[in-house]
């Protein structure tokens, strides 16, 4: 397999964390937002990325919506 990392192609802006870095910390990012903190200060690369990546924005918006609605992040599984 000779796949160019998608992350590399999407790194349009300087400081952009890219999709791979973003998805790992989206949960924490949303938690900071809900806590009234400024997530862009903690995860500046993710903040930049969210501005330029519709896919991650959608993920972020979904997490934020779910967190607001249910007061918790993600499905509660006990497997
Ligand atoms: Zn992305």
């Amino acid at each position: 397999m000779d796949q160019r990392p998608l992350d590399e192609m999407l790194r349009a802006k300087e400081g952009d964390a890219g999709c791979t870095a973003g998805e790992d910390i989206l949960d924490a990012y949303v938690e900071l937002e809900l806590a009234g903190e400024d997530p862009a200060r903690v995860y500046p690369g993710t903040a930049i990325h969210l501005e330029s990546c519709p896919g991650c924005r959608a993920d972020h918006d979904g997490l934020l919506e779910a967190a607001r609605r249910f007061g918790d992040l993600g499905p509660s599984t006990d497997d």
Side-chain angles (χ1 to χ4, degrees), residues 14-18 20-35 37-51 60 63 73:
E14 190 173 351
D16 192 326
T20 313
E23 77 183 26
D24 279 347
I25 57 179
L26 270 183
D27 278 3
Y29 192 96
V30 166
E31 274 188 54
L32 284 170
E33 273 191 285
L34 290 173
E37 309 277 336
D38 184 4
R41 278 175 53 188
V42 184
Y43 303 110
T46 300
I48 292 169
H49 182 70
L50 286 175
E51 287 178 14
H60 163 271
L63 280 173
L73 294 171

Side-chain angles (χ1 to χ4, degrees), residues 10 16 18-20 22 49-50 52-57:
L10 290 172
D16 192 326
C19 287
T20 313
H49 182 70
L50 286 175
S52 57
C53 181
C56 289
R57 264 271 279 289

